[in-house]
Amino acid sequence: MSTLETTPPATEVNAPPTQAELPYDDGVPMESQRHKMQMELLIDTFGTWLEDREDGYASGNMLVYFSLAQLKNQDFRGPDFFAVLGVPKGERRSWVVWEEGKGPDVVIELLSPRTAANDKNEKKLIYQNQMRVPDYFWYDPFNPDDWAGFSLVGGVYQAIAPNAENLLVSQALGLALLRWQGNYKGVETTWLRWATLTGELLPTAEEKERSFTEQERQRAEQERQRAEQERQRAQRAELQLQQTVRNLLQTGMTVEQVASITGLTASEIEALYI
């Protein structure tokens, strides 16, 4: 039997597709303007926190590819918000786990009447059993009381109890979520926001810039006040020196004697005295 007859035919191995080759939009729009704004607020504030780090990524309503089986079955998932630490910064078209080397550390779904049941059941199980997302949260932008968090413990989600400050803590990020009553882009309502573990809000880019501008204004005002105080101090010192010169001259001292005592020149003494 010839060598050609005993050699098995070559098998073509196809490399997994990259983010450049994969769809990045599932075509499903956000439920409402409020949902879209809430997603943007979470991404915005998390982004300002990432500015002080060399790693990390956050996005929302973007497809996350976590398995080739998912790709084959067109079983796409586009979390309303997700964040990943320990990865390079930079733009992505979609999140492809086999390219990045890891999946999201945190996922947040924004509830609506149409999606709530799915977010609380089917999606929760996918994030728990297939994607293995360490922390999962949900929030209803129109019903702030409907919020919850879960942490993966032994492969199973355990409810995260609000702490004494009523924060839901993400151990995966070392941050917390809180409900904040305030105005964001002209809408006054209760928003879900990122905060430090002590409850300090992570600022939006606009709030951070405003805070920086205010700090600069305060520094400029402090410098103006310092300069004014220095001017007034110098003025008082000059008046005191003038009075001292007058007093010494009135005792009968000569200009030269006063100059010796004060360290001034004769012309300076004459100018002060006049």
Side-chain angles (χ1 to χ4, degrees):
M1 187 177 291
S2 68
T3 303
L4 292 175
E5 292 174 322
T6 60
T7 303
T11 301
E12 182 178 353
V13 178
N14 294 322
T18 66
Q19 62 171 287
E21 302 166 320
L22 293 167
Y24 55 86
D25 185 358
D26 60 6
V28 179
M30 297 297 294
E31 295 296 309
S32 68
Q33 180 183 3
R34 177 83 60 84
H35 284 76
K36 183 175 183 294
M37 293 173 68
Q38 175 63 82
M39 178 189 72
E40 292 171 346
L41 177 59
L42 290 167
I43 295 172
D44 190 358
T45 52
F46 195 82
T48 61
W49 182 71
L50 286 181
E51 289 177 0
D52 295 326
R53 296 178 59 99
E54 296 181 353
D55 66 301
Y57 182 80
S59 189
N61 205 28
M62 172 192 284
L63 288 177
V64 176
Y65 293 92
F66 57 90
S67 75
L68 293 177
Q70 167 214 21
L71 181 63
K72 180 180 179 181
N73 298 330
Q74 301 288 296
D75 185 20
F76 302 136
R77 289 292 176 271
D80 292 328
F81 172 90
F82 71 94
V84 197
L85 299 183
V87 296
K89 293 182 176 181
E91 182 185 17
R92 272 84 166 177
R93 295 187 181 187
S94 56
W95 191 265
V96 183
V97 170
W98 55 84
E99 277 193 306
E100 304 287 351
K102 66 176 295 187
D105 290 305
V106 169
V107 162
I108 301 175
E109 291 290 0
L110 303 175
L111 306 180
S112 71
R114 185 180 68 83
T115 67
N118 187 39
D119 291 335
K120 293 181 179 182
N121 297 285
E122 180 185 347
K123 276 192 177 182
K124 181 173 176 244
L125 290 176
I126 289 174
Y127 295 141
Q128 171 187 281
N129 299 329
Q130 296 176 256
M131 294 178 65
R132 303 288 185 181
V133 178
D135 291 331
Y136 173 52
F137 301 89
W138 71 56
Y139 179 72
D140 187 339
F142 289 98
N143 180 17
D145 290 332
D146 195 352
W147 75 321
F150 304 88
S151 184
L152 202 60
V153 180
V156 179
Y157 275 142
Q158 302 295 325
I160 301 172
N163 64 14
E165 289 74 35
N166 203 27
L167 308 175
L168 292 179
V169 174
S170 168
Q171 296 294 342
L173 299 180
L175 293 174
L177 287 166
L178 58 73
R179 292 171 295 184
W180 171 73
Q181 180 68 34
N183 189 298
Y184 178 64
K185 293 187 175 180
V187 176
E188 180 77 24
T189 189
T190 301
W191 300 98
L192 187 68
R193 288 192 62 158
W194 287 111
T196 66
L197 297 181
T198 59
E200 180 183 355
L201 289 175
L202 301 189
T204 65
E206 181 180 352
E207 288 169 344
K208 188 174 182 179
E209 176 62 27
R210 191 160 58 238
S211 175
F212 175 78
T213 301
E214 177 61 19
Q215 289 172 0
E216 287 298 302
R217 187 197 66 78
Q218 290 178 358
R219 277 195 288 267
E221 177 62 19
Q222 290 170 357
E223 179 60 26
R224 186 197 66 78
Q225 291 178 358
R226 189 202 63 77
E228 176 62 19
Q229 290 169 356
E230 179 62 24
R231 185 192 67 79
Q232 292 177 1
R233 188 200 65 77
Q235 187 178 52
R236 287 195 299 271
E238 183 177 3
L239 290 173
Q240 290 172 354
L241 183 58
Q242 287 178 348
Q243 188 60 50
T244 299
V245 168
R246 290 191 178 97
N247 290 343
L248 292 174
L249 290 172
Q250 287 173 359
T251 65
M253 285 187 177
T254 65
V255 170
E256 288 74 15
Q257 288 173 322
V258 173
S260 176
I261 293 173
T262 61
L264 298 174
T265 65
S267 58
E268 287 173 334
I269 291 174
E270 291 172 355
L272 286 173
Y273 188 70
I274 293 172

